Amino acid sequence: MPSETSKSTETLAPLDEALPGPDASGPSHETPDAVATGPREAGAVVGHAKDVGDIEAGLDALQTTVAPTASRWSTAFHAVYPPVLAITILLAVWQSVVWLEVQPIYNLPGPAQVWEAVTRAAASGALWQALGTSLSRGILGFLAAVAIGTPLGILVARVRWVRVSFGPIITGLQVLPSVAWVPAGIIWFGLSDATVYFVILMGAVPSIINGIVSGVDQVPPLYRRVGQVLGAGRFQMIKDVILPAALPGYLAGLKQGWAFSWRSLMAAEIIAVGGGIGFGLGAFLQQGRELSDMALVFTAILLILVVGMVVELLFFAPVEKSMLRRRGLAPETSTSKGPGWLLRRRELAAAAFGR
């Protein structure tokens, strides 16, 4: 009876030894499965396949980064303290400039004076009215721009003559400052919300179109060929192949479209004041200028800045992070208690000492 060592040796025999060579009996065109008819040959094939599978699994494990677990409080702290530190530094620099008296206090108010203006505006209700009006206009205008710009972007990206004819015009519209549309909107629509939404659309739609075109241009041709092989029609090709592959560029276009929407809204609200337009953050800023109240001007500027940051952090940043993670493109970040560079040094030290 053969020993266990000989059995394991036979099982782990190389595939080349298990298969008959060209000098062996039988036709030379047989497949390996057909040739390995004996028990030793079949065992060798199975053992070789198992070894190859183990090696592939090991290589996959080497490429997989296992992030150390961290508590919820630690994760929240490491996410919050960098912006808090940055805000603290900016406030300190601002107050230092005020103390140096580079400008008179009525021209350059400090953080305390601006905070008093914020509390007064919040108590009177003017702050909440301006914030609600501008937010509703910005969100509705941006959604309308997405609904118009998305199909137009697909059309421009997929139809060559449309792209050649209208592509330069769309790029020119994107470069054109949206404030240039405010006088035309006032003449066409009067002092109404239609003027504001018109300016928003003219500022945001070209950015969304160019974002889709850029994303479609970056789709590998292999994806389209695979879709054609699988029998995808024109609509299925766009819906199931091109748009998912062009999602990073599309998302970048949406972010830029929101930025242009918010800027266009502020420009329209600053210039088009009165009538039936209502009171937004732009009118709030204009009111501070007319009253020569720099604390009120700073309050409006900070509110405009905070709204843009909040929308980016609460909507676009999580969506972009989730998309990159699903595609394996997320940057290597550490969610543990220590900084990433310290963890990498610990891992290298442990590997050097064989632990």
Side-chain angles (χ1 to χ4, degrees), residues 99-328:
W99 284 337
L100 292 175
E101 297 182 354
V102 178
Q103 289 284 335
I105 191 66
Y106 55 84
N107 281 343
L108 183 60
Q113 289 77 21
V114 174
W115 178 250
E116 292 177 1
V118 171
T119 55
R120 287 198 307 268
S124 65
L127 184 147
W128 307 114
Q129 179 185 359
L131 188 61
T133 301
S134 295
L135 268 178
S136 61
R137 287 172 175 172
I139 294 174
L140 290 177
F142 174 70
L143 293 178
V146 172
I148 296 173
T150 300
L152 289 179
I154 297 173
L155 180 66
V156 173
R158 296 295 294 168
V159 181
R160 180 174 178 78
W161 71 268
V162 175
R163 182 170 183 172
V164 173
S165 302
F166 295 96
I169 300 177
I170 295 173
T171 303
L173 290 175
Q174 183 180 1
V175 176
L176 179 68
S178 55
V179 69
W181 293 105
V182 178
I186 294 175
I187 294 174
W188 292 338
F189 306 105
L191 293 175
S192 63
D193 288 342
T195 299
V196 176
Y197 290 118
F198 168 74
V199 176
I200 292 175
L201 292 178
M202 297 305 297
V205 170
S207 299
I208 297 175
I209 293 176
N210 285 334
I212 295 179
V213 172
S214 176
V216 171
D217 289 343
Q218 296 176 9
V219 175
L222 181 61
Y223 290 2
R224 298 187 180 93
R225 296 172 188 170
V226 172
Q228 292 174 355
V229 170
L230 295 178
R234 181 180 295 271
F235 178 75
Q236 288 181 333
M237 180 73 70
I238 295 175
K239 181 176 70 72
D240 298 331
V241 178
I242 295 178
L243 284 184
L247 188 58
Y250 180 47
L251 182 59
L254 291 181
K255 291 175 63 176
Q256 193 172 12
W258 164 253
F260 275 86
S261 297
W262 192 240
R263 295 174 186 175
S264 303
L265 173 61
M266 293 302 106
E269 287 183 348
I270 290 173
I271 297 177
V273 180
I277 287 187
F279 189 74
L281 287 176
F284 191 45
L285 180 62
Q286 180 68 11
Q287 184 183 71
R289 187 195 69 83
E290 293 175 352
L291 296 176
S292 298
D293 189 349
M294 284 303 299
L296 201 62
V297 171
F298 270 77
T299 299
I301 293 175
L302 290 177
L303 286 175
I304 295 170
L305 176 64
V306 167
V307 169
M309 293 173 56
V310 167
V311 172
E312 166 67 23
L313 293 176
L314 295 184
F315 179 73
F316 288 108
V319 171
E320 184 177 14
K321 185 176 180 181
S322 176
M323 179 196 65
L324 293 177
R325 185 185 297 113
R326 289 197 306 267
R327 293 169 180 260

Side-chain angles (χ1 to χ4, degrees), residues 79-96 110-112 114-115 302 305-307 309-310 313:
V80 169
Y81 90 85
V84 171
L85 179 61
I87 292 174
T88 304
I89 294 174
L90 290 177
L91 289 177
V93 172
W94 181 7
Q95 186 61 55
S96 301
V114 174
W115 178 250
L302 290 177
L305 176 64
V306 167
V307 169
M309 293 173 56
V310 167
L313 293 176

